[in-house]
Amino acid sequence: MSEQNAPVAISFQQVFTSFSIKKERSTVLKNITATVPKGDIVALIGPSGSGKSTLLSLCNLLHTADSGEVLVEGVNVLNWNVTELRRKVGLVFQSPTMFPGTVRENLALARRLQGSTLNDPESLLINVGLSPDLLDHDASDLSGGQKQRIALARVLSTEPHALLLDEVTSALDPSAARNVEEWILQIHAKERTTMLWVTHHLEQAQRVSQWTWLMVDGHLIEATETKRFFSSPQSEHGQLFLQGELSGYLT
Amino acid sequence: MSLLTLSFTLAFVAIAIILSTWLKIGVERDIIIATVRSTIQLLIVGYILKIVFGLNNPLFIVLMIILMIAVATQNASKRGNGIVGVTWRILIAITIAEVIAQSLLVGLHIIPAKAQYLIPISGMIIGNAMIVSGLLLNRLQSEAASHRQEIITLLALGGTPKQSMMPFVKQAIRASLIPTIDSTKTMGLVQLPGMMTGQIIAGADPIIAVRFQLVVLFSFMASAMIASITLGFLTYPSLFNQYQQLILPVSSK
């Protein structure tokens, strides 16, 4: 990809990944080589089924590549202590999973798994734009947008160096989506957390990211500066995708 | 009961076959196979038991129990298709349950250490542990499949497989024990247990028969629990690979 000399947070080197579905092996990632610069936001776009979520899941080792290497902070993910890696590289899912109990208990979850306690749940909530009054509410009573922000805050409680965001706003109504997006950007402004952000919302990609990666059918077609991608995509696929003529959803 | 009298009971089989043929239910063949198999199997077991009881040699008692455990393990492992090394895990679970139960029963002099007590009670304990093991394996896989997102969320937050899976292991253990506990609760009200019925028919004092039945029931509950917990804790790690990723057996997808 581009000519940056900035330090690299996550890097993929000739990565292939496949799944077996009904005894048939299908390759979902085909020779991915790219780097996520430290402190930047990369938007990952492409038609559904192009392998975006799989690429994310390689970074925190929820899946393993068949071949090639995935490096986080210069170290192959296979050589990381798995739980340590997952705390350093937080993942926020499309639909937030709340566990039975209060907001406070949900926020403290990641720390409890580590065997420690969460000292300042109030500031975590404020950090994602929620009132500390919510702490003792039942987590299942919250709205979708609130749950997603709790899920985000829960991941942030482990003080991750990088965040993987898997269509985190696509299950939300437009105003909640915008709200979650803004709070993520605020966190980025404050912490300079590296982010790999899967979205099918092209305007969102344009708003939030410095870099845009276009994936089609397991291939990384284009990886370039967001401004450049949206003004003059270099690949034919990129042009088609922006025109909404590539299979998959577009705004 | 003479063999002639026994053969009259074939009338029941005839009724079943006639009904099945008449209503075109199509189970005649299975009824005949079941009749022949159960007759042969039970007659053989009867003779083997007679020999073993007569010898009253500890070696034969142990061999008999090992055979029962092996058959039970083989049977229960069908429920765990796709789980790596499920057979030896079941073998360990059932063996531990049987050994602990019998040690208590014999050690506390609840039953005499004689073949005629050890073998039937072992058979019942092992049989029940087998059913509980099958239920546990079934439930463990379905819990993992239906709570996949929760498990993955916990893993992604830096939880270990144990932390991520433990609520569902416990749920599976609980579910596997419900039939045993429920049948114990209604015992005597809904049905008279087979062992007690057998003793009463054979002429034993119902009070004595009840006492033995209680021995069996209580050892059932404990041994079912031991088998289920052992198997649950031995099995859940095999749902994860070396990178702490959840891998569900194909059969549960």
Side-chain angles (χ1 to χ4, degrees), chain A residues 22-33:
Chain A
K22 289 174 187 160
K23 291 184 181 170
E24 278 192 29
R25 208 81 197 151
S26 72
T27 307
V28 287
L29 293 178
K30 299 162 185 165
N31 200 12
I32 305 286
T33 298

Side-chain angles (χ1 to χ4, degrees), chain A residues 27-85:
Chain A
T27 307
V28 287
L29 293 178
K30 299 162 185 165
N31 200 12
I32 305 286
T33 298
T35 55
V36 183
K38 194 171 163 60
D40 283 358
I41 300 181
V42 172
L44 198 46
I45 60 172
S48 65
S50 57
K52 306 184 295 289
S53 298
T54 307
L55 191 67
L56 283 197
S57 67
L58 297 180
C59 304
N60 68 349
L61 211 54
L62 280 180
H63 281 119
T64 322
D66 293 354
S67 66
E69 289 192 336
V70 180
L71 307 176
V72 168
E73 296 179 344
V75 178
N76 190 325
V77 286
L78 301 181
N79 297 330
W80 273 81
N81 171 309
V82 181
T83 48
E84 179 72 18
L85 173 72

Side-chain angles (χ1 to χ4, degrees), chain B residues 148-219:
Chain B
R148 193 170 166 274
Q149 192 54 41
E150 279 142 282
I151 296 166
I152 291 178
T153 301
L154 287 170
L155 289 174
L157 284 171
T160 60
K162 185 178 178 183
Q163 289 171 324
S164 313
M165 196 58 205
M166 203 39 65
F168 310 112
V169 174
K170 286 184 184 163
Q171 184 54 40
I173 291 171
R174 202 175 295 132
S176 74
L177 293 173
I178 287 173
T180 304
I181 294 172
D182 276 359
S183 77
T184 308
K185 279 187 201 157
T186 57
M187 196 52 75
L189 299 176
V190 180
Q191 54 165 358
L192 293 180
M195 174 179 134
M196 197 174 102
T197 317
Q199 277 185 301
I200 293 171
I201 290 173
D205 180 351
I207 304 300
I208 301 293
V210 163
R211 287 184 191 166
F212 270 105
Q213 190 60 46
L214 285 175
V215 168
V216 169
L217 284 181
F218 297 157
S219 59

Side-chain angles (χ1 to χ4, degrees), chain A residues 20 60-64 78 82-83 86-87 89-91 93 95 97-100 109-110 112-115 151 154-155 158, chain B residues 147-164 167-168 240-247 250 253:
Chain A
S20 13
N60 68 349
L61 211 54
L62 280 180
H63 281 119
T64 322
L78 301 181
V82 181
T83 48
R86 289 177 183 160
R87 283 169 199 146
V89 183
L91 172 61
F93 296 88
S95 26
T97 302
M98 291 292 113
F99 292 88
L109 192 58
R112 195 166 56 77
L113 293 171
Q114 276 176 274
R154 189 169 63 191
V155 167
T158 63
Chain B
H147 295 282
R148 193 170 166 274
Q149 192 54 41
E150 279 142 282
I151 296 166
I152 291 178
T153 301
L154 287 170
L155 289 174
L157 284 171
T160 60
K162 185 178 178 183
Q163 289 171 324
S164 313
F168 310 112
F240 297 85
N241 67 12
Q242 57 171 323
Y243 300 117
Q244 306 189 9
Q245 297 163 353
L246 181 66
I247 39 163
V250 182
K253 272 181 189 167

Side-chain angles (χ1 to χ4, degrees), chain A residues 154-209:
Chain A
R154 189 169 63 191
V155 167
L156 291 173
S157 73
T158 63
E159 295 169 1
H161 295 182
L163 270 185
L164 310 167
L165 305 169
D166 194 356
E167 303 205 11
V168 288
T169 61
S170 61
L172 305 177
D173 66 72
S175 83
R178 199 59 194 259
N179 209 312
V180 168
E181 180 188 310
E182 273 163 23
W183 285 103
I184 294 172
L185 290 179
Q186 288 226 5
I187 288 153
H188 182 255
K190 235 186 298 177
E191 312 282 344
R192 308 305 303 174
T193 312
T194 309
M195 297 186 187
L196 191 49
W197 191 332
V198 172
T199 176
H200 65 255
H201 199 292
L202 293 183
E203 288 164 20
Q204 183 173 62
Q206 225 169 337
R207 275 195 303 269
V208 303
S209 66

Side-chain angles (χ1 to χ4, degrees), chain A residues 211-229:
Chain A
W211 307 92
T212 296
W213 295 2
L214 171 66
M215 287 185 69
V216 179
D217 189 30
H219 293 280
L220 183 57
I221 301 291
E222 208 166 334
T224 184
E225 277 176 286
T226 299
K227 274 181 203 151
R228 193 162 161 216
F229 179 81

